Amino acid sequence: TSSLLEGNFPRYENVMPDACDTAVLVPTEELMQAVRRVSLLASDRYGRVVKVALSDGKLDLSSKTEMGEAQETLNIEYSGPELSIGFNARYLMDYLTVVGSPVVKMELNPSKQSDDDRKLEAGDKPGQFKPEPDEAVDYRYIVMPMHL
């Protein structure tokens, strides 16, 4: 049996970005393993937030709780402004375990300047993840950011 849902389905098109300012390619397996390790010390109380920070030539993942801190660094090709955003580690792992491509494209849209003029924060704009090369499968995974 099934039942019809009442009400209107949310307008998901409003959440999906038309274009992204920042895009980086990251090896899927390396990113998945790094998120898994860093999330071990992410607090359940705040939704297991993992901070993702981009800077010249690297992607830093970090988390902290009252028990300690975890940090991982991946070497990537990136030369834009410094950028940081927080994601729920479980949502990242859900995507990375099933994407099926050796590389993923992570696309971010900075929306606000941080206290330091050289750094950007993603704010409330979603992150978009796609398999790479994208001609193999055409889909995208949207993850809403979490406050750090």
Side-chain angles (χ1 to χ4, degrees):
T1 64
S2 64
S3 60
L4 293 175
L5 298 175
E6 293 186 26
N8 294 326
F9 192 77
R11 296 183 126 322
Y12 66 89
E13 299 93 355
N14 294 345
V15 176
M16 301 177 93
D18 296 328
C20 293
D21 297 333
T22 302
V24 294
L25 299 177
V26 185
T28 305
E29 186 65 27
E30 287 182 41
L31 181 58
M32 182 173 56
Q33 295 301 326
V35 170
R36 182 175 287 136
R37 286 188 296 268
V38 168
S39 69
L40 292 173
L41 284 178
S43 176
D44 279 327
R45 184 173 29 176
Y46 301 111
R48 299 193 71 75
V49 178
V50 170
K51 179 181 175 183
V52 176
L54 290 171
S55 59
D56 281 338
K58 64 182 181 175
L59 173 87
D60 289 318
L61 298 153
S62 61
S63 66
K64 67 167 83 169
T65 63
E66 34 310 311
M67 292 176 30
E69 298 180 15
Q71 183 172 353
E72 291 274 336
T73 299
L74 301 176
N75 295 320
I76 60 168
E77 290 185 30
Y78 178 73
S79 60
E82 292 183 18
L83 172 66
S84 63
I85 186 170
F87 289 120
N88 182 309
R90 189 182 81 221
Y91 297 157
L92 293 179
M93 290 301 297
D94 286 347
Y95 173 72
L96 294 170
T97 55
V98 299
V99 65
S101 68
V103 176
V104 295
K105 182 188 286 186
M106 182 171 60
E107 298 178 337
L108 305 171
N109 276 318
S111 63
K112 62 182 183 177
Q113 202 82 20
S114 71
D115 297 333
D116 181 352
D117 288 338
R118 296 178 310 270
K119 296 182 181 180
L120 299 172
E121 293 178 2
D124 60 352
K125 304 242 180 174
Q128 180 168 266
F129 296 82
K130 297 179 179 179
E132 188 68 26
D134 57 0
E135 60 267 356
V137 181
D138 185 23
Y139 72 94
R140 53 188 166 168
Y141 185 75
I142 307 296
V143 183
M144 293 304 290
M146 298 182 71
H147 294 285
L148 301 171

